[in-house]
Amino acid sequence: MRVELTGRRKERENLLIQVARASGQNIAKCYQCGKCTAGCPVAVEMDIPPHQVMRLLQLGLKDEVLDSSAIWLCASCATCTARCPRDIDIAAVMDALRARAGREGRTRSAKTIALFHDIFLNAIQKHGRVFELGLAINYNLKTGNLFKDADLGRVYFTRGKIGLKAPKIKGGDEVRRIFQKVKQMEAGE
Amino acid sequence: MPRIGVFVCWCGSNIGGVLDCPQLAREAASFPGVVYSVDYKYMCSEPGQNLIIEAIKEHRLDRVVVASCSPRLHEETFRKALARAGLNPYLLEMANLREHCSWVHAKEPEKAQVKAVDLVRRAVAKAALLQPLVSSQIPVTKRCLVIGGGIAGIQCALDIADAGHEVILVEREPTIGGNMVKLDKTFPTLDCSACISTPKMVAVASHPNIKLYTYAEVAEIGGYIGNFKVKIKQKARYVDHDKCTGCGTCWEKCPSKVPDDFNGGLGTRKAIYIPFPQAVPNKPVIDANHCRVFNNKKCRVCEKLCPTGAIDYEQQDTFIDEEVGAIVVATGYELFDWTKAYGEYGYGMYPDVITGLQFERLVNAAGPTGGKIKRPSDGKEPKTVVFVKCVGSRDEAKGKSYCSRVCCMYTAKHAHQLLEKVPDSQAYIFYMDVRTPGKGYEEFYQRTVQDGAIYVRGRVSKIYQSGDKLVVRGADTLLGRPVEVKADMVVLATAMQPAAGVETTARLVGAPVDQDGFIQEAHPKLRPVETHTAGVYVAGCCQGPKDIPDTVAQASGAAAKVVGLLSHSKMSTSAMISTVNEALCTGCMLCEPVCPYKAIEPKVITERLPGQPPRERTVAAVNSGLCQGCGCCNVACRPGAIQVKGFTNEQMLAEVDAICL
Amino acid sequence: MKYAYYPGCSLHATAKEFDASSRVVSRSLGIELEEIEDWSCCGATSAHATNHFLSIALPARNLALAARMGLDVAAPCAACYNRLAGANKVMRNDKEMRRKVNDVIGAEYHGEVTVKSLLEVFASVERERISSQVVKPLNNLKIACYYGCLLVRPPAVTGFDDPEQPVTMDRILQICGAETLEWGYKTECCGASLGLSREPVALRLVHDILRMAVDAGADCLACACPLCQSNLDARQEHVNRAFGTKFKVPVFYFTQLIGLAMGISSRDLKVHSHFVDTSKVLQAIG
């Protein structure tokens, strides 16, 4: 499909400002050298490689980016950030994009990954710490893949590495307050 | 009372299209001291100048105000017109109606008119206080110092010497020739670099007007344009070059092997050595850091074998004083040290990841492999070679933000040479942009593509060793996919940076460097071979990255400037320089440290006041050869004793009053 | 040397051996670890992939607890270390975020503690102190030190070792007598964060790392991250199934290997609780 570039100036500028606010990064600096894509461990699995994510943002084509699987596949290894010749923290940009896509419920392209983050954070919210057995069971229940990694779980369990009881901390209320604040902030946006 | 004439210029529609020039001239007639005012279409034209000259004579004008463009453009023009009318040229004041008014306020002509009146009133107020000024004459030493004996220094020295002036060429290495002589072939014509540069080296050595100091450094520079005093340090060679015949016995028999810098560390040389067979001079030096004798070991082999007794382990550094009228800085470049910055390429731990300059030595018939392309680790002929561009260039995170300008072309040349010399070879070139702005350059690049070189648009993210291959991970941004090449050798096109020690040289000659350490030219377009210090010029890569044609052109340009300066035995200094009112000067010398040109020195005068015995006291004195009239001293002077001629406190306050009151 | 010890969730569960070996080896080296009472999860990848505020506030609560103890923080887990250090930097430099976070966690924290990874803490121990306790030098062992991502990247947050060619772990294990290998995958990502949600991706990355280590001649891998360890160790069988390989590369925590060299019992170091059989390596040490 031909991309219509005419007259998107306002959208482009707004997007640059939004990305800068959410990630502290200036996308306009990117000169498309591709070093991020070259070093990215998961670029081959991405629908849009990292340098093209940056390019789409530069052109103001945000929907394509927010609906991509790339932003969810990003393993947050920060190889791109460490090697970017323009000193752009690309991993931070990916974080900001994921956060926004998650907020807007645009997780269709990578449901399981988004789901995992959801369950993980719910566990923290509930217990203050992560309860691995609960996490795995919950994840498998929700994905319908009941025996995913069951072999691993069995070994972990027999070696006493996974408890049956969820951990509990005294400061649970403080942790819950953090999550409440997040909800308030998101509602305010 | 002065008799001032005001001349308002239209500059065609540049000024006349915005301002009402006739009205301006009428208004100017009412300003104090103005006896004549007129407007004209082009005041700088021949009839315009004649108009001024006629008016001066007819109306007995003794001060002139020209309201036109920036004085940077036409002040000299109008000063000459005044002189032709028999008036001191410094009795001119300009009002800048174009850059300061009509151009910037084109959309609000009414307000512009008001401002223009103010500008003219200001100029008239100052003109009333102008004094005639004369410039003084200083002698010019007809000799030039050229610092650096690479192709820039060589070309510059030859051009000046051919014009009949003496040149002192100082080179810190044991030979002249610089980086160019290390190259194999030169783009885009592929002529042999040594074949075109070594004859020039010989020409330098044999030129009657050139005095060559190799293995020497400039230690001190004093004085000013036309009259520099230079101290040169001749480093001890431990070989008496008057006795030495360059027979070569010493370096053949020397037992100490040292990594060879000339070959980029790819081969070895001896501790007593000439850098390469065509070195100029063709006589050796002893590298004291590696010589056994200097490391308290038994040896003295060279001394025993030298047929002329030229070896002298006791030789000391010596200092030579020279006087010159001009200086050219041509200290060249070195490669950015990628091994300290690029961990993702292995920090230099993989022997088969080399630089472009090392590749030059590998393909050079006089190089360590005799011109056979062999990789350093095991001497095998590499079939698959990856060339990585912009290593250190265009990389503000790890190197330099600038483009080094030559890498695109020499990488195309390297790929071409590989494909030509190694059967069944494959060249992969990772690039961000291919920049070929030069005669025949784009054609050369296209030819390399036709040769079969594969250009991949993307930066390389990582290089690592896997077995006897180097795995190169990059991206093809045109495909939008990560790519990988299993290479036998990798050549990095590393950035050019100013040669080590450029800051020291810059400080010695008093020329500032830019943010990347290159010598700052006086104006990027109109004064590209001059520096901010009068009499000091610049040529070659110490001013910025450039290729050989540009370097040679700039060197000849600098030579032309030097020849222009040295063609006079005397030169006039600027008339608008600082002057000290000794009666007011308290000798506090606060002006001395603020002077950027080291033009102020203390001086003892004898003062005779009526009824008192004579007494001595210190006052500031300005060297008219060094002073550039910048005014820093004026600001620092508390009693107001030091002032810039043509910009006195009285004159400037009159201007302020004219605008503000 | 005394530190506020932040074990993190993994070290209380799947990485119990990292916890145990960290504590016992630290004690031998004269490093006192006092566990932060009532610590909570740092939020790991899920927090910073979801919400910036969350990714700062969750670690900040723990940092504030450490500040109350008056101690700097030592975290063995690379992921926890990365999150704590990153959040600490924000708490130190970003006034607005600091105010918001302190408001919610009810603290007055300004980034005053220093966050170190346990590897970094060990690196500051004098060589002599370690070498003098080596009773069973790892002479017969070729180790590929695997640093992964979060220990060394992004360099603006980590910074104690080189992001491309780190050496800290190598140097410590060399003091213990081991031969550490130069190999190209020291800092390649293993994809642990995708282990559950996109296993094929993780398997490919694990496979490549194991392949490189084996090709370099490694007897075992050493690592400093429970996510890397469980990904490289526990998924090795899955890799073999997916790629038809026969990898059996033990993956140790660096603390376990130091402990073995110091003659600490394998039971205390829990070296038998790994997926891949470690007995061969243990025999080689003797």
Side-chain angles (χ1 to χ4, degrees):
Chain A
M1 195 183 69
R2 183 172 294 139
V3 180
E4 182 56 56
L5 294 176
T6 328
R8 308 172 58 98
R9 183 167 157 186
K10 263 260 123 32
E11 288 162 59
R12 278 201 298 273
E13 284 169 1
N14 281 341
L15 188 61
L16 285 188
I17 293 165
Q18 285 163 10
V19 174
R21 198 176 296 144
S23 67
Q25 303 305 308
N26 178 4
I27 300 292
K29 282 182 79 183
C30 172
Y31 59 18
Q32 289 291 303
C33 72
K35 200 171 181 182
C36 47
T37 295
C40 177
V42 290
V44 286
E45 276 95 1
M46 287 177 169
D47 51 355
I48 304 171
H51 77 278
Q52 288 184 355
V53 168
M54 305 296 278
R55 185 68 190 147
L56 287 163
L57 292 174
Q58 283 180 336
L59 293 177
L61 301 165
K62 71 170 191 296
D63 288 336
E64 238 174 283
V65 174
L66 289 174
D67 290 330
S68 72
S69 71
I71 59 175
W72 296 100
L73 272 165
C74 165
S76 300
C77 75
T79 304
C80 47
T81 299
R83 294 179 185 160
C84 175
R86 301 292 281 161
D87 263 336
I88 303 171
D89 186 345
I90 300 155
V93 174
M94 289 292 192
D95 275 346
L97 293 170
R98 258 193 303 256
R100 178 160 171 184
R103 239 176 12 249
E104 295 177 5
R106 306 165 90 145
T107 56
R108 206 155 25 102
S109 59
K111 271 206 179 112
T112 52
I113 300 171
L115 179 68
F116 174 78
H117 292 321
D118 247 17
I119 293 170
F120 193 94
L121 293 177
N122 276 335
I124 304 175
Q125 188 171 5
K126 206 160 166 195
H127 307 292
R129 291 179 191 170
V130 173
F131 171 44
E132 284 162 320
L133 181 63
L135 192 69
I137 293 173
N138 212 341
Y139 178 82
N140 287 355
L141 279 175
K142 293 214 168 136
T143 51
N145 186 354
L146 291 185
F147 299 103
K148 170 90 182 62
D149 286 345
D151 54 338
L152 307 188
R154 198 163 47 243
V155 179
Y156 278 134
F157 185 67
T158 52
R159 294 193 185 165
K161 288 182 164 193
I162 305 183
L164 288 172
K165 230 174 88 203
K168 203 149 189 84
I169 65 165
K170 285 181 273 174
D173 282 347
E174 286 173 31
V175 174
R176 275 187 286 280
R177 267 211 306 280
I178 294 174
F179 281 90
Q180 274 159 16
K181 176 76 180 174
V182 170
K183 284 226 175 67
Q184 277 171 20
M185 285 164 74
E186 286 181 352
E189 267 174 22
Chain B
M1 195 65 189
R3 296 179 62 80
I4 304 172
V6 176
F7 299 86
V8 181
C9 176
W10 290 54
C11 195
S13 62
N14 274 302
I15 298 170
V18 179
L19 301 175
D20 182 348
C21 294
Q23 195 274 335
L24 208 50
R26 281 195 297 278
E27 181 119 14
S30 66
F31 297 157
V34 176
V35 296
Y36 179 73
S37 73
V38 70
D39 61 284
Y40 186 69
K41 277 270 177 188
Y42 290 104
M43 208 61 86
C44 61
S45 67
E46 194 61 28
Q49 291 186 46
N50 286 336
L51 185 92
I52 295 173
I53 294 167
E54 295 302 318
I56 290 171
K57 289 176 182 162
E58 192 181 329
H59 299 278
R60 287 178 293 117
L61 302 178
D62 58 10
R63 303 285 191 284
V64 171
V65 169
V66 179
S68 58
C69 53
S70 166
R72 299 202 66 147
L73 199 64
H74 275 312
E75 193 172 49
E76 272 311 304
T77 314
F78 294 120
R79 277 184 184 164
K80 281 178 185 156
L82 263 66
R84 276 195 280 151
L87 216 53
N88 180 288
Y90 293 93
L91 296 172
L92 166 79
E93 181 63 23
M94 291 184 73
N96 185 351
L97 296 184
R98 197 176 71 172
E99 285 85 344
H100 285 181
C101 195
S102 66
W103 275 0
V104 283
H105 306 304
K107 288 185 182 154
E108 30 193 5
E110 289 86 14
K111 287 183 182 170
Q113 187 75 12
V114 175
K115 178 173 173 181
V117 173
D118 280 346
L119 292 175
V120 175
R121 192 191 302 115
R122 173 208 69 77
V124 169
K126 186 182 176 193
L129 299 172
L130 289 177
Q131 294 296 324
L133 301 177
V134 285
S135 57
S136 54
Q137 298 272 308
I138 49 169
V140 174
T141 309
K142 294 189 163 209
R143 194 180 295 118
C144 179
L145 168 71
V146 176
I147 308 172
I151 188 58
I154 289 173
Q155 183 65 42
C156 193
L158 287 172
D159 286 355
I160 297 167
D162 285 346
H165 300 294
E166 289 177 37
V167 177
I168 290 159
L169 177 58
V170 177
E171 165 60 53
R172 67 176 166 191
E173 297 297 323
T175 176
I176 55 171
N179 282 310
M180 181 183 170
V181 82
K182 297 174 186 169
L183 308 181
D184 181 50
K185 288 179 174 171
T186 56
F187 60 77
T189 45
L190 292 178
D191 37 7
C192 154
S193 184
C195 311
I196 58 176
S197 59
T198 50
K200 280 187 184 284
M201 292 163 62
V202 175
V204 164
S206 59
H207 204 296
N209 282 343
I210 298 178
K211 203 193 277 183
L212 175 62
Y213 294 101
T214 56
Y215 217 44
E217 282 169 24
V218 175
E220 283 173 34
I221 294 178
Y224 48 91
I225 180 170
N227 300 275
F228 293 107
K229 291 182 173 36
V230 181
K231 196 183 275 298
I232 296 164
K233 177 171 129 182
Q234 173 65 64
K235 292 182 277 186
R237 299 183 172 105
Y238 309 108
V239 177
D240 184 341
H241 275 205
D242 290 333
K243 292 181 185 165
C244 173
T245 60
C247 71
T249 311
C250 53
W251 68 76
E252 269 166 35
K253 301 294 180 190
C254 171
S256 304
K257 283 192 178 171
V258 184
D260 188 353
D261 326 323
F262 190 83
N263 283 323
L266 291 178
T268 57
R269 61 160 167 83
K270 299 299 181 62
I272 186 166
Y273 71 107
I274 57 168
F276 66 106
Q278 292 81 32
V280 170
N282 210 269
K283 294 175 183 180
V285 297
I286 292 178
D287 168 4
N289 290 328
H290 295 98
C291 170
R292 296 170 68 87
V293 174
F294 289 92
N295 289 288
N296 299 319
K297 286 180 195 149
K298 280 191 184 146
C299 182
R300 295 186 173 260
V301 168
C302 52
E303 189 185 45
K304 282 171 212 149
L305 294 174
C306 177
T308 60
I311 306 296
D312 176 8
Y313 300 118
E314 307 301 321
Q315 203 179 65
Q316 300 289 318
D317 295 349
T318 53
F319 289 88
I320 303 130
D321 292 312
E322 294 279 5
E323 292 188 358
V324 297
I327 298 173
V328 179
V329 182
T331 51
Y333 75 93
E334 63 185 24
L335 292 185
F336 167 76
D337 186 1
W338 72 275
T339 64
K340 297 212 164 59
Y342 284 85
E344 62 269 50
Y345 300 165
Y347 285 134
M349 69 167 85
Y350 310 129
D352 296 328
V353 180
I354 63 172
T355 66
L357 215 44
Q358 287 173 315
F359 187 84
E360 294 284 347
R361 298 312 296 159
L362 281 188
V363 281
N364 193 305
T369 55
K372 293 220 161 56
I373 301 176
K374 293 178 182 172
R375 64 181 194 175
S377 63
D378 54 10
K380 274 192 203 150
E381 187 177 63
K383 295 284 185 194
T384 304
V385 178
V386 168
F387 297 88
V388 185
K389 292 210 264 187
C390 298
V391 178
S393 304
R394 303 179 70 192
D395 186 346
E396 63 193 46
K398 294 207 155 122
K400 315 287 181 183
S401 54
Y402 55 82
C403 162
S404 291
R405 287 190 61 190
V406 297
C407 322
C408 282
M409 285 305 293
Y410 78 62
T411 299
K413 177 188 72 180
H414 289 167
H416 165 81
Q417 286 178 303
L418 173 81
L419 296 170
E420 185 183 61
K421 286 201 166 195
V422 179
D424 306 321
S425 59
Q426 182 61 65
Y428 296 89
I429 298 152
F430 284 89
Y431 72 99
M432 289 203 289
D433 296 288
V434 180
R435 296 178 171 177
T436 57
K439 252 190 182 178
Y441 287 14
E442 177 66 14
E443 295 86 333
F444 185 87
Y445 155 51
Q446 291 304 340
R447 182 175 140 189
T448 305
V449 174
Q450 290 304 310
D451 286 342
I454 293 180
Y455 275 74
V456 185
R457 198 207 166 276
R459 259 190 191 274
V460 167
S461 175
K462 180 167 176 148
I463 300 168
Y464 63 92
Q465 188 93 42
S466 178
D468 83 331
K469 296 282 182 190
L470 289 160
V471 182
V472 180
R473 291 254 168 94
D476 186 325
T477 57
L478 303 180
L479 282 181
R481 282 196 219 159
V483 295
E484 183 175 286
V485 180
K486 291 175 186 70
D488 299 314
M489 190 166 83
V490 178
V491 183
L492 307 178
T494 45
M496 271 184 167
Q497 63 184 22
V502 70
E503 318 82 21
T504 313
T505 313
R507 206 176 55 243
L508 283 174
V509 300
V513 295
D514 64 21
Q515 74 271 16
D516 297 309
F518 293 104
I519 304 260
Q520 183 76 56
E521 65 280 14
H523 189 281
K525 294 176 183 71
L526 301 176
R527 297 174 67 195
V529 299
E530 291 158 83
T531 69
H532 287 290
T533 299
V536 177
Y537 306 90
V538 64
C541 288
C542 64
Q543 181 263 335
K546 54 179 68 69
D547 60 14
I548 296 168
D550 285 2
T551 295
V552 171
Q554 197 184 20
S556 289
K561 283 281 169 193
V562 170
V563 170
L565 171 63
L566 301 188
S567 64
H568 305 286
S569 49
K570 281 192 162 63
M571 63 175 290
S572 44
T573 58
S574 166
M576 293 166 114
I577 58 171
S578 286
T579 178
V580 180
N581 181 340
E582 291 176 356
L584 288 177
C585 178
T586 61
C588 72
M589 297 312 292
L590 281 175
C591 49
E592 191 183 359
V594 300
C595 175
Y597 305 99
K598 300 195 182 87
I600 299 175
E601 289 182 325
K603 168 176 99 168
V604 176
I605 56 164
T606 308
E607 201 169 44
R608 290 168 214 281
L609 293 171
Q612 284 178 30
R615 64 181 187 116
E616 291 193 335
R617 67 182 181 93
T618 303
V619 295
V622 176
N623 181 322
S624 62
L626 291 174
C627 178
Q628 305 284 318
C630 72
C632 290
C633 53
N634 193 348
V635 178
C637 183
R638 287 185 291 202
I642 195 160
Q643 301 221 10
V644 181
K645 289 189 252 182
F647 290 96
T648 65
N649 292 357
E650 196 193 8
Q651 289 165 350
M652 311 256 304
L653 288 172
E655 293 179 73
V656 173
D657 285 351
I659 291 177
C660 303
L661 290 182
Chain C
M1 276 195 283
K2 186 172 176 182
Y3 286 92
Y5 181 63
Y6 181 83
C9 306
S10 296
L11 272 73
H12 271 209
T14 47
K16 276 183 172 158
E17 61 272 36
F18 197 11
D19 186 42
S21 55
S22 291
R23 286 173 194 269
V24 61
V25 172
S26 294
R27 201 175 310 126
S28 303
L29 294 175
I31 301 161
E32 203 180 322
L33 300 178
E34 186 181 333
E35 186 164 337
I36 298 172
E37 204 189 324
D38 205 41
W39 57 267
S40 49
C41 176
C42 70
T45 306
S46 293
H48 76 86
T50 313
N51 184 284
H52 184 55
F53 175 82
L54 194 60
S55 74
I56 308 301
L58 287 174
R61 177 180 176 269
N62 299 297
L63 294 169
L65 291 175
R68 252 171 255 159
M69 295 161 74
L71 294 173
D72 285 342
V73 175
C77 167
C80 299
Y81 156 69
N82 194 289
R83 292 323 308 159
L84 293 176
N88 204 30
K89 201 175 161 219
V90 174
M91 289 300 281
R92 209 173 275 175
N93 301 327
D94 184 342
K95 245 192 221 160
E96 184 54 31
M97 185 57 91
R98 179 163 67 220
R99 192 187 52 74
K100 273 194 214 159
V101 170
N102 277 334
D103 234 26
V104 175
I105 63 173
E108 264 314 311
Y109 182 67
H110 296 82
E112 51 267 34
V113 306
T114 302
V115 179
K116 290 185 176 179
S117 85
L118 193 66
L119 182 62
E120 187 181 1
V121 171
F122 279 18
S124 63
V125 175
E126 318 88 80
R127 188 192 170 89
E128 178 57 18
R129 193 170 198 128
I130 303 175
S131 62
S132 65
Q133 296 187 58
V134 172
V135 293
K136 282 199 207 163
L138 311 175
N139 287 340
N140 301 320
L141 223 49
K142 286 185 184 158
I143 303 176
C145 291
Y146 175 71
Y147 296 78
C149 312
L150 301 170
L151 214 48
V152 291
R153 279 191 304 259
V157 168
T158 58
F160 76 95
D161 203 340
D162 190 274
E164 300 292 349
Q165 309 288 348
V167 291
T168 318
M169 205 190 304
D170 293 70
R171 288 207 179 128
I172 294 173
L173 292 176
Q174 282 161 16
I175 298 173
C176 297
E179 179 188 338
T180 62
L181 303 167
E182 281 307 332
W183 64 307
Y185 268 51
K186 275 183 173 183
T187 62
E188 287 293 307
C189 176
C190 73
S193 66
L194 298 167
L196 212 53
S197 49
R198 281 289 168 100
E199 200 191 18
V201 179
L203 291 186
R204 177 176 63 78
L205 297 172
V206 170
H207 168 268
D208 291 353
I209 291 165
L210 294 172
R211 174 90 274 149
M212 282 299 292
V214 168
D215 285 353
D219 298 315
C220 65
L221 282 159
C223 69
C225 173
L227 308 175
C228 302
Q229 199 279 342
S230 65
N231 200 34
L232 291 166
D233 180 37
R235 293 200 191 279
Q236 217 167 112
E237 241 345 278
H238 293 197
V239 166
N240 286 339
R241 246 180 276 151
F243 290 85
T245 48
K246 287 181 178 159
F247 290 123
K248 281 197 166 12
V249 190
V251 184
F252 292 97
Y253 292 105
F254 73 103
T255 44
Q256 292 177 301
L257 290 165
I258 300 171
L260 289 172
M262 286 176 168
I264 297 169
S265 82
S266 53
R267 179 201 287 269
D268 286 350
L269 297 167
K270 296 188 191 280
V271 282
H272 298 293
S273 62
H274 296 280
F275 276 70
V276 176
D277 184 19
T278 55
S279 53
K280 251 195 189 162
V281 168
L282 298 178
Q283 275 163 20
I285 299 168

